[in-house]
Amino acid sequence: MTAVAAATTPTVLYRSLLREARKVKDYNFRSYALRRVKTDFVANRELTGGETTIAINQGLQQLDMLKRQSSLSQLYPSVLSVME
């Protein structure tokens, strides 16, 4: 399996999205990101063929967005929430 194919498998993508979502400093954004990742993967569980490729590409875009969000949240930390 090539590096590109390994990076785009749904399991690897799921774990990468969860890992990046946990890096977000703000509690509300972090919990939203975790919830969104889990619900999107449950909703797309039954996809087949070309739909899977489209969903994986959207997941990769979401991963890039989460990476940017987590780096921004580390640059500009917010006050700790009561939930933390």
Side-chain angles (χ1 to χ4, degrees):
M1 183 179 287
T2 65
V4 173
T8 58
T9 60
T11 307
V12 172
L13 179 61
Y14 181 71
R15 291 181 57 136
S16 297
L17 283 165
L18 288 178
R19 191 175 305 117
E20 283 301 319
R22 285 190 203 105
K23 290 181 183 178
V24 177
K25 295 289 184 186
D26 187 73
Y27 173 79
N28 291 326
F29 289 129
R30 183 175 56 245
S31 62
Y32 171 75
L34 288 169
R35 185 174 59 246
R36 173 87 188 264
V37 167
K38 291 174 186 177
T39 57
D40 284 352
F41 269 83
V42 169
N44 294 330
R45 185 181 303 175
E46 302 298 324
L47 295 181
T48 58
E51 295 173 335
T52 304
T53 306
I54 293 169
I56 288 175
N57 288 335
Q58 289 175 348
L60 290 172
Q61 290 174 354
Q62 292 296 320
L63 180 61
D64 290 339
M65 186 272 309
L66 270 174
K67 286 180 180 179
R68 289 190 303 270
Q69 184 66 35
S70 66
S71 65
L72 280 175
S73 70
Q74 292 173 3
L75 288 174
Y76 304 104
S78 62
V79 181
L80 287 179
S81 172
V82 175
M83 300 298 290
E84 294 179 298

